[in-house]
Amino acid sequence: MRTVYRAVRGEYTEKKSRFIADLFYIESEEEAEAALARVRKEFYDARHHCSAFIISRKNDAAAAEAGAAQKKAQGNAPSPGSQMILRSSDDGEPQGTAGHPMLDVLTSAGLVNVLAVVTRYFGGTLLGTGGLVRSYTKALQDALEKSIIIERKNGIPLTVTADYTAIGKLEYFFAKEELPALSKEYGENVKETLLIPEERLSQVQNEITQLTGGKAGMSAGNAIEYAVLDGTVLTGEALLD
């Protein structure tokens, strides 16, 4: 899941109208509403607070349950778009000049679980439909350029125990497959814990077995969410820094 790492702000000015763009990581519509409320409170004297968000249904339990119930009642198979919740609001601007263009920016960037809010302070000159679309888009693009984008994944911690004669081959394999390491211990044997994408666990375990002739010990833990940023593995609270 490609998303923003932390909240970030961008800005664009057009004919003295000021457009302030905020990006947030969110996991539910409730979180989107709460973040939008914080922006409204901060810029309480602004005319418009236009917004757009994309949320994965698996992260919004209520939406996922409602969507599943609806599909069951209708007897329809889920469509590809049904996995995402997309919303946008022009918040008083002419229809289609703010929220939808902002949503287009988010979808073009391939982002999920993200909220964009662009606040406008009117500068005294009407911008017209084209000017509004351009301004809301450019403000959000500025925020995106300043943001850090990460890929959040579900991974299985896999602890591998091997003797020193096998560790060279294993380290080469781990590096080639870009498997992030959580810890490494040296003792009578080498014990290393890595994060394996869920869908690749069996494949990685088979490779390790073949590389060590079945002599490596392996222990898999429970799935956790993680991302890798500049070579550092982020888990838990570090993902929300």
Side-chain angles (χ1 to χ4, degrees):
M1 181 178 64
R2 180 177 162 86
T3 189
V4 292
Y5 175 42
R6 54 165 67 98
V8 67
R9 177 168 289 171
E11 190 167 332
Y12 178 75
T13 300
E14 177 78 11
K15 296 180 181 178
K16 297 184 180 181
S17 278
R18 184 184 176 200
F19 297 81
I20 305 167
D22 285 286
L23 276 173
F24 303 92
Y25 173 78
I26 56 170
E27 293 187 349
S28 67
E29 293 192 65
E30 288 75 18
E31 288 185 11
E33 291 169 1
L36 177 57
R38 292 196 300 271
V39 174
R40 288 185 181 278
K41 182 176 180 180
E42 180 179 359
F43 301 113
Y44 64 91
D45 55 342
R47 281 199 173 192
H48 308 282
H49 301 89
C50 304
S51 60
F53 66 74
I54 303 173
I55 302 173
S56 170
R57 282 187 178 272
K58 69 178 183 179
N59 288 99
D60 192 313
E65 184 177 348
Q70 181 181 18
K71 290 296 181 182
K72 183 177 180 180
Q74 294 175 345
N76 295 331
S79 63
S82 69
Q83 300 307 310
M84 300 295 169
I85 306 168
L86 293 82
R87 300 278 190 276
S88 65
S89 169
D90 294 313
D91 194 37
E93 292 283 30
Q95 185 176 0
T97 61
H100 196 274
M102 290 164 59
L103 191 60
D104 285 343
V105 173
L106 297 180
T107 55
S108 296
L111 299 177
V112 180
N113 282 13
V114 61
L115 164 71
V117 182
V118 178
T119 299
R120 180 192 181 192
Y121 281 95
F122 183 54
T125 301
L126 296 176
L127 302 181
T129 300
L132 287 173
V133 171
R134 180 176 62 253
S135 298
Y136 278 99
T137 298
K138 284 186 174 293
L140 182 50
Q141 288 172 336
D142 183 60
L144 277 175
E145 289 173 3
K146 294 174 181 176
S147 66
I148 297 173
I149 304 299
I150 59 174
E151 290 191 17
R152 297 171 72 116
K153 305 177 182 179
N154 286 328
I156 305 292
L158 180 68
T159 300
V160 181
T161 304
D163 60 34
Y164 285 85
T165 62
I167 198 62
K169 290 185 292 185
L170 288 176
E171 291 285 2
Y172 177 79
F173 170 67
F174 298 155
K176 180 172 68 73
E177 298 296 320
E178 298 182 342
L179 302 175
L182 290 177
S183 65
K184 186 184 296 184
E185 299 175 19
Y186 294 94
E188 182 178 346
N189 293 301
V190 180
K191 181 184 291 186
E192 187 166 0
T193 301
L194 307 110
L195 271 173
I196 316 297
E198 280 185 308
E199 68 278 6
R200 296 182 57 199
L201 180 61
S202 295
Q203 172 245 322
V204 170
Q205 288 176 314
N206 290 336
E207 291 277 1
I208 292 172
T209 298
Q210 292 179 18
L211 287 171
T212 63
K215 295 180 180 179
M218 288 179 277
S219 176
N222 296 322
I224 61 174
E225 193 172 24
Y226 76 98
V228 179
L229 177 62
D230 296 331
T232 299
V233 181
L234 308 174
T235 61
E237 292 297 320
L239 279 171
L240 303 175
D241 186 5

